[in-house]
């Protein structure tokens, strides 16, 4: 018992680690608390509608992903305000096109899903792309400079206001509209907080050379993002196409809860670890080898322990916190939470290789993921049904993780003992969580197993 508490104490002495840890805990509390209340105010169909709209927005975003964050962090002039203004101008134009595309796609998508009632809400959310794009590029500059606290406070503040609006509006109009308005409110608050907390806004500017550099960089990012898109959204579109809206809502809730843990580990990698290993590589390969495990060890041990406990305690958590209509969703939550762990590990590994000047592994990893996903669905969808979809995502992520480890070995960075500690922490935390579920939620365990046949 002493070791976990000692690790937490050491983490609290690390400013970046403390910020990410507190941000993670606070965000989880906000999301979980909000969902607990919302599941009692809204029926599963409301979550299904919002889930489809968010999936469409993610699809369009990733189809046009130019890799702004990685470009700013790696570029030698990433801190130049003129360059940031040019990037903001490009992003604003890109977002205008995405808004138009979503507006035009509303009716065809609704017809494809055989749910024509979805066309109006899909069209109503099209301008959200432009609202998000108005946020100044100084938020990316803050990430480049390692200003973890400011970035986390902005994201947390925007989420808190969004959740508050969701809850308040659900009392007035208890349907999907309350959740859609919350998305607009969160985007506006994020922009205002960025202007308030990080000096300098963004303005229209153009430089052909800078634009050409971005396009050159994005030649690996864009196809990789398209493959990521197919992987991360295929389960949702297939579920929405093949099952009822209520069934999709019961899937999207645990899916969102599991994925809620993903940005926190990824935020640590993007906002602290990736800039750190980029600087270390510029100083020399020996410096990179020295910081590769040291810079993430404490945070990853805590995150993997949290993932393990969440997997084990999932039936108990769903039985206690959610309405009985959602309780069988723990089975999806458990599988997708394991995928989050694999994703966190592979993401940090591949970003390290990117910091060394190689962008192609991003695409290669996604090609591997996509191939494994298709093979799994083809082989196991008929016998496993709906469960095959999240399992396919998890198997695909495991393949990408093994590929990233091979890259680390090639560069002399992989240490089996240090890497194995992450998964030892996951298993050690899973066991007490599973014991809680067995003692207090056997009926929920049975409901989840019955739901998958």
């Amino acid at each position: 018992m002493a070791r976990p508490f000692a690790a937490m104490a050491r983490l609290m002495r690390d400013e970046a680690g403390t910020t990410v840890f507190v941000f993670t805990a606070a965000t989880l509390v906000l999301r979980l608390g909000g969902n607990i209340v919302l599941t009692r105010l809204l029926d599963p169909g409301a979550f299904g509608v919002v889930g489809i709209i968010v999936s469409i927005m993610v699809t369009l975003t990733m189809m046009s992903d130019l890799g702004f964050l990685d470009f700013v962090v790696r570029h030698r002039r990433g801190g130049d305000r003129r360059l940031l203004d040019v990037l903001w101008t490009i992003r604003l134009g890109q977002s205008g096109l995405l808004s138009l595309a979503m507006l035009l796609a509303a009716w065809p998508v609704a017809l494809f899903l055989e749910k024509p009632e979805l066309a109006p809400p899909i069209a109503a959310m099209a301008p959200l792309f432009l609202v998000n794009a108005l946020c100044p590029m100084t938020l990316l500059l803050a990430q480049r400079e390692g200003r973890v606290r400011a970035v986390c406070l902005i994201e947390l503040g925007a989420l808190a206001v969004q959740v508050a609006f969701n809850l308040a509006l659900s009392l007035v109009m208890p349907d999907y509209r309350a959740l859609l308005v919350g998305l607009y409110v969160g985007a506006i608050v994020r922009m205002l907080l960025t202007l308030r907390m990080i000096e300098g806004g963004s303005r229209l500017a153009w430089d052909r050379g800078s634009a050409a550099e971005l396009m050159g960089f994005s030649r690996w990012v864009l196809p990789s993002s398209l493959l990521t898109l197919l992987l991360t959204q295929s389960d949702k579109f297939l579920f929405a196409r093949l099952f009822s809206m209520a069934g999709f809502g019961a899937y999207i809730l645990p899916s969102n809860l599991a994925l809620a843990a993903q940005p926190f580990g990824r935020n640590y990698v993007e906002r602290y670890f990736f800039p750190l290993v980029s600087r270390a590589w510029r100083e020399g390969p020996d410096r990179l080898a020295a910081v590769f495990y040291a810079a993430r060890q404490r945070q990853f041990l805590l995150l993997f322990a949290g993932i393990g406990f969440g997997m084990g305690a999932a039936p108990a958590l769903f039985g206690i916190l959610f309405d009985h209509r959602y309780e069988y969703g723990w089975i999806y939550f458990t599988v997708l939470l394991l995928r989050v762990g694999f994703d966190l590990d592979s993401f940090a590994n591949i970003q390290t290789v990117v910091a060394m000047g190689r962008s192609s592994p991003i695409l290669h990893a996604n090609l591997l993921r996509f191939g494994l996903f298709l093979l799994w669905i083809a082989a196991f969808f008929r016998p496993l049904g709906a469960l095959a979809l999240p399992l396919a995502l998890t198997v695909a992520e495991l393949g990408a993780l093994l590929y990233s480890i091979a890259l680390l070995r090639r560069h002399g960075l992989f240490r089996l003992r240090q890497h194995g500690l992450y998964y030892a922490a996951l298993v050690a935390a899973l066991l007490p969580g599973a014991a809680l579920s067995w003692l207090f939620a056997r009926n929920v365990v049975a409901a989840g197993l019955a739901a998958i046949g």
Side-chain angles (χ1 to χ4, degrees):
M1 290 294 293
R3 288 188 177 183
F5 287 110
M8 187 174 295
R10 288 194 299 271
L11 174 60
M12 291 302 152
R13 293 193 292 269
D14 176 358
E15 182 178 354
T18 302
T19 301
V20 173
F21 180 81
V22 173
F23 171 69
T24 302
T27 305
L28 283 173
V29 169
L30 276 173
R31 290 189 182 277
L32 185 60
N35 282 324
I36 290 171
V37 178
L38 287 170
T39 56
R40 286 158 172 79
L41 297 174
L42 305 173
D43 62 40
F47 289 96
V49 171
V50 177
I52 289 174
I53 290 173
V54 171
S55 292
I56 294 170
M57 296 192 71
V58 170
T59 297
L60 291 172
T61 299
M62 299 190 74
M63 286 176 64
S64 59
D65 183 19
L66 299 179
F68 288 106
L69 176 62
D70 287 355
F71 184 78
V72 169
V73 170
R74 287 183 53 193
H75 200 282
R76 65 188 184 281
R77 296 190 295 114
D80 180 66
R81 292 304 178 95
R82 170 72 176 174
L83 174 63
L84 293 175
D85 287 341
V86 172
L87 297 178
W88 184 79
T89 302
I90 294 173
R91 190 179 69 179
L92 195 63
Q94 174 196 47
S95 298
L97 294 175
L98 291 176
S99 294
L100 179 61
M102 184 166 175
L103 186 63
L104 296 175
W107 186 250
V109 170
L111 289 180
F112 170 75
L113 296 174
E114 297 183 352
K115 297 173 176 65
E117 68 276 9
L118 291 178
I122 292 173
M125 296 307 292
L128 185 58
F129 284 112
L130 278 171
V131 177
N132 281 321
L134 289 173
C135 186
M137 295 296 286
T138 48
L139 188 60
L140 301 188
L141 176 61
Q143 294 181 53
R144 170 188 166 90
E145 296 175 347
R147 298 167 63 180
V148 178
R149 180 176 298 176
V151 175
C152 288
L153 284 175
I154 289 170
E155 300 290 355
L156 184 61
L159 177 62
V161 175
Q162 177 181 331
V163 170
F165 267 79
N166 284 342
L167 295 174
L169 290 172
S170 295
L171 296 173
V172 180
M173 44 183 183
D175 55 41
Y176 65 82
R177 292 175 298 170
L179 302 179
L180 298 185
V181 173
L183 292 174
Y184 274 106
V185 171
I188 293 170
V189 172
R190 182 170 177 262
M191 175 185 64
L192 295 176
L193 287 176
T194 300
L195 289 169
R196 178 68 179 84
M197 298 181 63
I198 302 176
E199 63 279 359
S202 294
R203 58 185 180 181
L204 295 174
W206 183 250
D207 179 74
R208 186 174 181 178
S210 298
E213 283 189 77
L214 176 65
M215 295 302 111
F217 174 79
S218 66
R219 73 183 187 276
W220 293 109
V221 175
L222 187 56
S224 175
S225 294
L226 290 173
L227 288 169
T228 300
L229 161 68
L230 291 173
L231 283 166
T232 58
Q233 302 307 309
S234 291
D235 64 319
K236 299 175 182 64
F237 282 114
L238 286 172
F239 213 114
R241 180 69 176 82
L242 298 173
F243 302 96
S244 68
M245 190 57 63
F248 179 63
Y251 173 74
I252 202 67
L253 177 64
S255 176
N256 287 342
L257 284 176
L259 293 176
Q262 187 179 56
F264 312 135
R266 279 180 164 251
N267 283 344
Y268 185 81
V269 173
E270 290 177 345
R271 299 170 185 177
Y272 177 75
F273 181 78
F274 178 50
L276 178 64
V277 294
S278 295
R279 291 194 299 269
W281 174 252
R282 290 194 290 268
E283 294 172 8
D286 292 340
R287 174 63 178 159
L288 176 59
V291 304
F292 176 68
Y293 281 108
R296 64 175 181 165
Q297 190 82 344
R298 299 167 185 169
Q299 289 73 24
F300 273 40
L301 286 174
L302 287 172
L303 287 169
F304 273 78
I307 289 170
F309 184 80
M311 291 173 61
L317 290 172
F318 272 66
I320 294 170
L321 299 178
F322 298 118
D323 185 88
H324 68 89
R325 295 170 295 176
Y326 299 87
E327 63 184 14
Y328 71 88
W330 72 264
I331 194 79
Y332 304 132
F333 178 76
T334 301
V335 174
L336 290 171
L337 204 54
L338 179 60
R339 175 184 174 267
V340 169
F342 291 157
D343 172 81
L344 173 60
D345 194 359
S346 64
F347 182 62
N349 299 340
I350 290 177
Q351 286 297 97
T352 300
V353 178
V354 171
M356 300 167 68
R358 296 186 57 196
S359 299
S360 59
I362 301 175
L363 177 59
H364 297 158
N366 277 335
L367 286 170
L368 179 60
R369 288 185 180 101
F370 188 58
L372 290 172
F373 178 81
L374 292 179
L375 287 173
W376 182 272
I377 291 294
F380 294 103
F381 181 74
R382 186 175 296 275
L384 295 179
L387 185 61
L389 299 175
L391 277 173
L393 292 174
T394 303
V395 170
E397 198 57 55
L398 175 60
L401 171 60
L402 295 176
Y403 168 70
S404 73
I405 288 175
L407 292 176
L408 294 181
R409 289 177 60 87
R410 186 181 305 170
H411 292 285
L413 294 174
F414 180 69
R415 302 291 182 269
L416 178 61
R417 183 175 179 180
Q418 290 176 280
H419 224 97
L421 287 176
Y422 308 150
Y423 298 93
L426 186 151
V427 173
L430 183 149
L431 296 176
L436 285 174
S437 294
W438 183 251
L439 289 173
F440 300 110
R442 295 188 188 183
N443 60 318
V444 181
V445 173
L449 296 177
I452 62 172

